[in-house]
Amino acid sequence: MRFQSELKYKELPKWGKYLRGRWEEHFASHLSPKKKKEIYLRSYLWHLCSYEETAFLSGEAAVAAFKKQPKGKCTVFFELHDDAYLIENAASMSASDLLQASCEDVYVMDWNGQWTFMKTHEKELGPYFIERKKNP
């Protein structure tokens, strides 16, 4: 993945599995193991939104919410491989960069797990945004 030149990031090799697990703890812990299996959460984390199992925003509303977030330290990771990045000051990160950057599923998660922005490989689904304080 390529980031804007002014965005400082650190590669986190092999952190993808850990971050996907952390994401699941923060955003899908309210689901039973049975429900997670029913919505194929292990296949695609963003199914949490497409199966409407949490409060979320999608499309332009998701982009607007992502833009409004104070973006300090956050992680960027992927669904299907373990590459990951730590961004110390993500204030200049834009949704359009993420949406155009790749044909794969990309997740941005606030370091403290308070919000997440997801770009899916499905052109007609997403992007999605979840804010934890809006969810039980």
Side-chain angles (χ1 to χ4, degrees):
M1 175 161 208
R2 292 186 176 182
F3 295 105
Q4 307 165 33
S5 60
E6 70 271 5
L7 200 60
K8 295 191 191 253
Y9 63 92
K10 179 180 179 181
E11 291 184 34
L12 302 173
K14 301 180 184 178
W15 270 50
K17 183 177 181 178
Y18 167 75
L19 290 170
R20 287 188 298 274
R22 193 165 170 241
W23 188 99
E24 187 176 333
E25 288 172 21
H26 287 302
F27 301 104
S29 62
H30 64 286
L31 297 181
S32 69
K34 181 181 178 191
K35 179 55 84 172
K36 289 176 183 180
K37 188 174 183 177
E38 287 174 5
I39 68 168
Y40 308 98
L41 190 70
R42 291 285 176 180
S43 298
Y44 297 104
L45 295 174
W46 54 263
H47 278 182
L48 185 66
C49 298
S50 64
Y51 280 86
E52 299 184 358
E53 293 294 338
T54 192
F56 66 94
L57 298 171
S58 65
E60 290 302 317
V63 171
F66 178 69
K67 184 177 182 178
K68 288 193 314 190
Q69 290 305 306
K71 291 184 242 8
K73 188 189 289 189
C74 63
T75 55
V76 176
F77 57 97
F78 307 88
E79 191 78 59
L80 300 177
H81 57 84
D82 288 336
D83 294 342
Y85 301 91
L86 171 63
I87 302 173
E88 292 286 345
N89 183 356
S92 65
M93 181 186 289
S94 75
S96 61
D97 293 334
L98 296 164
L99 296 172
Q100 296 171 10
S102 175
C103 296
E104 61 188 319
D105 301 320
V106 179
Y107 297 82
V108 179
M109 180 173 63
D110 167 64
W111 185 254
N112 297 314
Q114 295 303 305
W115 57 263
T116 184
F117 179 78
M118 299 154 273
K119 177 221 172 270
T120 77
H121 68 276
E122 301 279 352
K123 293 185 189 313
E124 67 278 358
L125 296 174
Y128 298 117
F129 181 86
I130 300 171
E131 190 170 8
R132 262 180 57 196
K133 61 185 164 192
K134 303 238 168 144
N135 288 287

